[in-house]
Amino acid sequence: MESCIFCRIRDDELPARKVYEDELVVAFEDLNPQAPTHVLVIPRRHIATLNDLQPDDEPLVGHMLAVGAKMAAQRGHAARGWRAVFNNQREAGQTVFHIHLHVLGGRPMEWPPG
Ligand code: DGP
């Protein structure tokens, strides 16, 4: 997907502060952070929404969460807590249609979310 901004970040065609990469995922700092830690974990492969996941993608999504946990632990949030968020489709707040895990930490958070 040439027009996808997260595909372009993956390919280094757009700048981003990348913090982790492996064969399956890329993680980078959110441009508009909502907490002291706000990292996005994306799959390398373009998947528009969680609705598009196939059964074979289940290990990939598990890996995204494991990488998110590693990012949170590296920043010292493992014990105090951190939040993992997937916004799925517009009413839930999805604005970039390449699935991404938000890893948020470093401040107290409220529930329910807005
Ligand atoms: P969502 O609303 O759940 O689709 O989250 C999209 C997030 O992506 C939002 O927190 C802002 C972030 N974002 C949008 N464009 C860019 C960009 O060009 N670079 C980076 N690093 N983050 C971006």
Side-chain angles (χ1 to χ4, degrees):
M1 280 281 287
E2 260 176 46
S3 59
C4 170
I5 56 174
F6 286 178
C7 286
R8 296 184 68 198
I9 286 173
R10 173 201 65 203
D11 294 341
D12 294 319
E13 293 172 7
L14 285 177
R17 289 169 55 195
K18 289 185 176 174
V19 294
Y20 179 85
E21 288 191 74
D22 65 24
E23 69 281 3
L24 292 176
V25 303
V26 179
F28 52 89
E29 305 279 357
D30 194 288
L31 193 62
N32 184 22
Q34 301 300 312
T37 290
H38 191 167
V39 170
L40 301 175
V41 183
I42 67 166
R44 286 192 177 276
R45 184 158 53 83
H46 183 89
I47 302 171
T49 78
L50 293 181
N51 301 347
D52 301 304
L53 290 174
Q54 302 300 314
D56 284 355
D57 296 325
E58 290 177 14
L60 172 63
V61 176
H63 184 62
M64 291 171 71
L65 285 162
V67 168
K70 183 188 284 188
M71 299 294 101
Q74 281 178 356
R75 288 162 177 75
H77 307 313
R80 289 178 63 96
W82 57 283
R83 188 167 286 180
V85 173
F86 282 96
N87 294 323
N88 189 57
Q89 297 282 25
R90 293 187 195 283
E91 193 163 302
Q94 185 174 8
T95 59
V96 178
F97 285 79
H98 180 139
I99 63 168
H100 46 283
L101 170 66
H102 294 261
V103 178
L104 297 148
R107 66 166 172 83
M109 292 186 199
E110 310 213 338
W111 193 263

